[in-house]
Amino acid sequence: MGSELSGLQIFKYLPAAKKLADANCKKCGCPTCMAFALKLAKKQTEIEKCPSASDELRCLIEEAVKVKQHEYTIGVENPVKTGGETVMFRHDKTFVNRTVFAVLLESSDVDFDKKLRRIKNFEIERIGETFKIDAIHLKDTGEFLSAAEKVKKAGFVLIAESDDTEALSSLKEENPLIITNKAENFKDNLVAVTADDIDSLEAASKEKIKNGYKKIVLNPVLKNIADTIEALTYIRRMAIIDKFEPMTFPVMVKIPSEKNLGKTTALAALLICRYANIIVFEDFDEAMMAALLTLRQNIFTNPERPLQVESKVYEFNEPDRNSPVILTTNFALTYFAVANELESLPFGSYLVVTPSDGMSVLTAWSADKFTADIAAKTVKKFNLEEKVNRKAIIIPGLLSHMKEELEQALVGWDIIVGTIEACEIPDFIKSLNYIKS
Ligand code: SF4
């Protein structure tokens, strides 16, 4: 057993803190009560090992280990995780599992193959990650199993909606999320609990728990945006703050087809932020998905860990000995902004990326994560002098005040102060006479 309590919080309840006779008795296998508390906080021992632990402490730990939101895996070949959230707000810690994006298809749709192909062909790349649609919500309107097979072959996770228990049973190995009116046959599988108001949803969830269902996804089908956001906020609050078991499950929301894609995009954006674990889209549009996947990436980035790229020399357009050398930090957004511009040049270039803990240029400089010494070591480490004839390095315009310092650290190299904005890089480099264009 472990807990989310700190060692000190636990210690306050142990005999040593209360100056009781059995303090530090070592019966738990630890030399002191403090050592035991620290171990317990790290989940390396169990409360049962201390015979003197009070009921108050046992209750506290019991409460602390209750799950806030269950985490499930859907699919087998390209599985996605859903749920597992632990905070109400991203800035409190981080959101854990990205909202699953699913597109609804009807199994007997005459354009099924065409629609599936279009969804399969869609992908975007952003800050070093490639994103696609995660899942297909397949609604049984006939020819269900052959359509499910196509979904599997296309590499999507399956959300299977059908009342054909035989067909659903044959899909169990795909580890789908099941939506059915005959859920009693799938108590060991991940099933959706559907209701059209929050009280009914809570009651249905309680009933499922009582009847031994192992894995649940809550599926509120609500009338309008305001009701939906209110319900999802309520569910998340009941899960995270109150650990109220019937609400401690991932939540899926279906966005109905809408002529105005801007409205769908706005609603989905709201749902990504608050608090849909799975969104099912009835509409599929590449531009809409690209915008929403970008938002999703931002929301689910861990604010405690800046996005960063590896510190190394990146090569663009087959550079040679006459190519320019550009220097920047390893903050992912900085890297990709510069990299995009270098890719657009009609000649090759080298981009030297310093190890700067994922900080942007000025932040790294002010935190001593980008110093002349670090820059010099990086240039030496990657043998830049052997790659180019002309020893010149273009530094970010924001670091113009470091020119002299860098010249002293990088003996024999010219330091050229570059541009402040990445978009100005191509014209700036082209303007440097010594570089062939
Ligand atoms: Fe302290 Fe309990 Fe361990 Fe004894 S058994 S040392 S009282 S934590």
Side-chain angles (χ1 to χ4, degrees), residues 14-16 22-33 36 49-53:
L14 291 172
D22 46 356
N24 304 320
C25 70
K26 301 185 177 61
K27 285 180 189 162
C28 57
C30 296
T32 61
C33 292
F36 176 75
K49 292 202 172 166
C50 172
S52 308

Side-chain angles (χ1 to χ4, degrees), residues 99-119:
T99 313
V100 175
F101 280 20
V103 177
L104 182 90
L105 290 180
E106 293 188 348
S107 58
S108 65
D109 188 333
V110 287
D111 291 327
F112 182 87
D113 291 351
K114 202 169 129 195
K115 287 181 180 174
L116 187 64
R117 203 175 317 119
R118 183 176 164 199
I119 297 165

Side-chain angles (χ1 to χ4, degrees), residues 103 105 110-123 132-133 136 150-151 153-156 284 286:
V103 177
L105 290 180
V110 287
D111 291 327
F112 182 87
D113 291 351
K114 202 169 129 195
K115 287 181 180 174
L116 187 64
R117 203 175 317 119
R118 183 176 164 199
I119 297 165
K120 185 177 187 296
N121 288 342
F122 167 75
E123 69 173 39
K132 299 168 76 77
I133 297 300
I136 295 293
K150 289 174 187 171
V151 169
K153 276 193 183 147
F156 292 108
F284 174 77
E286 287 83 353

Side-chain angles (χ1 to χ4, degrees), residues 328-329 331 334 359-366 370 396 398-399:
T328 193
T329 69
F331 178 43
T334 302
M359 292 183 192
S360 60
V361 168
L362 268 188
T363 314
W365 169 74
S366 58
F370 183 93
L398 288 169
L399 297 179

Side-chain angles (χ1 to χ4, degrees), residues 225 255-256 258-270 288:
I225 298 174
I255 302 181
E258 165 71 55
K259 275 187 195 152
N260 181 350
L261 275 184
K263 202 170 157 188
T264 303
T265 310
L267 174 56
L270 263 175
M288 175 181 78

